[in-house]
Every structure is written in C-alpha cells, then in structure tokens.
Amino acid sequence: MKKRVLLRVAASFFMILGACKNPTKEATNELSETVSVSEATSQNQTEFYVMAASGLSLRKANTTTSDKLAVMPYGSMVTVHPQTTQATISVEHIEGTMQPVTFNGLEGYCFSGYLSRYPMPVKGVSVADYVAQLKAKNNVVHYEQKENGPDFHEGYSETITLPTAKWHEGYYIAQNLFDTPKSLAFPNPKGIPSETIEAPTKPKEVWTSDLLVKRTNNKLDTITYRFRGEGSGHGFIITKPDSEKLKIERYVFVD
C-alpha cells in the first residue's frame, strides 16, 4: 500500500511539474473550428461533447466564416441534429463536416471533428472514476488495473478499452485524463514508419517528454507518450485491437 502511494505521488509530482513549467500551446478558436469531427450519428446518439481544449465555435451558418454565436467550452454537451450530405474537410489531420447542433438553447453549426460521443475527463479525475462516469452514460467500457511484472520497473498500469472511438478521440481523452502537454498535438496519421515528436519545452528536471508514433502504410499503429524524470516515469500507449475498439493503457513506474 505504501509503495502504491509513493508511485501515485511521484506520478502526480511530475505531471504538476510539467504542467507548471511547460507552457501549453492551446489551439485557438479559429483552429478549433477548422478541425473536423468524427461522424456524429453512430447508434442514434444525439448527445456529444466538445474535445477542443480552447473551446469550439458555434456558427450561425454551415461555414467557418459565418457569424459566431458562442464559444462552447471544453467538455460542453451539445445536441447533434441530422444533416444532409456535406463535403468533408480536413484540418490538423482530422476529418469532419459542419454539423448542426444545439448548445444552451442556441442552434447553429460547428465542426464535428472536435465532438466526442464520450464525456471528456475533467482535470484531476482518476481513471477508475472516469470509467465509472462513462458507464453511467451507458457506454460499454472495459477497465483493467494490474501491477507491473517482475521484468519491469515497480509500478502499475491501467487500461481502458473504448468501442467505436477514433484515433484522435482517444488521443484527446488520454491527453486530458493524464495531463499530457497540450503542445503535443494529435500526430499526422501519414508519415514515416517511426517518428519521435519531442515536447517543444520541458523543465530541466524532466529527461523525456515526447510522442513515439508508429505507422504502417500511412496509417497509425500506435501513439505512445513517454515521460521520464529522476526516479520515476509514466506515459500512455494508444492502440486499436480491431476496427471497432480503441485501447488506452497508462503506465506508472519508479526506479
């Protein structure tokens, strides 16, 4: 029990250290508007949630240049309405359309790429509590926690498996759930087979803060965030076991 507490304290310390000393490069409202969305009609669900950290603009018409009615904050719930077929746009490696929605009684349009079928995690929530929140919304979510094996550093891992989640949807959930630097944007699915993307800035106490992106034929295989400091480390790995599931595994360890 004492070791588990020390592990959690170490992980929390380095997360706070990174958040305080790594200035985050939040997406602007204009950038949020031009990021596309996952299809917002799966399983007849009408309630969706804003993934954009800086908020998502609600527009009067279905163009990115129409009058802005409001900025919908991160985590806000919106009601999605049926729409006729529209051209798909792609910005920041995410595809979507201008989606008709209602937010706080206002009807308008927003880019669907920053809408998630899952409620977004709030700062400081535990993985177990977040999973309980998802299940309370009738989401079929699998959760597993286990200690690290004898061949690895002392620590533990927690795994969430989400049905029908998109790569970028899983990335933004993990980024906010595990307080990952916002300066590390969702990586391009297309590119070289293996790419390391370092956080633009990090405190001198931090040895490693980066993304390791693995691809095959311009399609994502894994997205791994790695954080390492003196005495401990943590991170997460995102994979797709099959076309209908996305798995997020968080790991924490001490030397």
Side-chain angles (χ1 to χ4, degrees):
M1 180 66 181
K2 184 176 180 181
K3 291 180 179 178
R4 171 58 61 82
V5 171
L6 290 174
L7 284 167
R8 294 189 183 279
V9 169
S12 299
F13 171 76
F14 280 110
M15 285 183 179
I16 293 171
L17 184 64
C20 292
K21 295 191 178 182
N22 279 336
T24 58
K25 185 179 180 182
E26 301 288 359
T28 64
N29 291 333
E30 292 301 316
L31 180 60
S32 298
E33 297 157 5
T34 53
V35 175
S36 61
V37 187
S38 57
E39 296 177 359
T41 56
S42 62
Q43 301 180 0
N44 297 319
Q45 181 175 347
T46 59
E47 294 181 356
F48 283 74
Y49 302 86
V50 174
M51 289 189 285
S54 60
L56 185 61
S57 291
L58 180 68
R59 295 285 182 179
K60 185 176 182 179
N62 63 345
T63 67
T64 60
T65 57
S66 68
D67 293 341
K68 185 186 298 185
L69 301 177
V71 176
M72 303 179 291
Y74 166 81
S76 298
M77 187 184 75
V78 304
T79 300
V80 170
H81 304 297
Q83 66 172 333
T84 57
T85 303
Q86 292 191 28
T88 299
I89 61 174
S90 179
V91 177
E92 294 298 302
H93 323 308
I94 303 171
E95 294 185 348
T97 63
M98 289 297 288
Q99 179 72 43
V101 299
T102 298
F103 168 71
N104 283 352
L106 292 174
E107 293 187 358
Y109 295 80
C110 70
F111 277 94
S112 61
Y114 264 168
L115 294 180
S116 172
R117 62 172 290 187
Y118 298 105
M120 300 304 291
V122 298
K123 188 176 180 63
V125 68
S126 70
V127 179
D129 286 345
Y130 179 60
V131 169
Q133 179 187 1
L134 295 181
K135 289 183 176 180
K137 292 286 186 177
N138 297 319
N139 292 297
V140 181
V141 181
H142 178 72
Y143 172 68
E144 180 182 7
Q145 182 182 33
K146 63 181 180 180
E147 302 293 331
N148 290 343
D151 296 331
F152 192 61
H153 297 280
E154 182 179 2
Y156 65 95
S157 64
E158 296 175 286
T159 303
I160 309 173
T161 303
L162 302 170
T164 72
K166 312 295 184 182
W167 277 102
H168 68 282
E169 192 173 19
Y171 181 76
Y172 288 123
I173 288 174
Q175 188 180 56
N176 287 282
L177 186 58
F178 307 131
D179 202 20
T180 307
K182 301 300 186 294
S183 56
L184 288 169
F186 176 67
N188 192 342
K190 297 181 179 180
I192 59 178
S194 181
E195 180 182 12
T196 298
I197 305 171
E198 295 187 0
T201 59
K202 63 177 183 289
K204 62 181 181 180
E205 296 89 348
V206 176
W207 300 348
T208 302
S209 179
D210 63 23
L211 289 179
L212 175 62
V213 184
K214 298 283 189 178
R215 309 178 181 91
T216 299
N217 297 326
N218 287 321
K219 293 184 178 180
L220 291 169
D221 288 329
T222 62
I223 302 174
T224 303
Y225 173 66
R226 303 178 296 189
F227 186 100
R228 190 73 164 89
E230 184 175 0
S232 67
H234 65 267
F236 62 77
I237 304 170
I238 303 175
T239 57
K240 282 187 76 73
D242 57 54
S243 61
E244 298 299 324
K245 296 178 182 177
L246 187 139
K247 183 168 73 173
I248 304 170
E249 180 182 4
R250 178 205 188 194
Y251 60 88
V252 177
F253 63 88
V254 296
D255 294 331

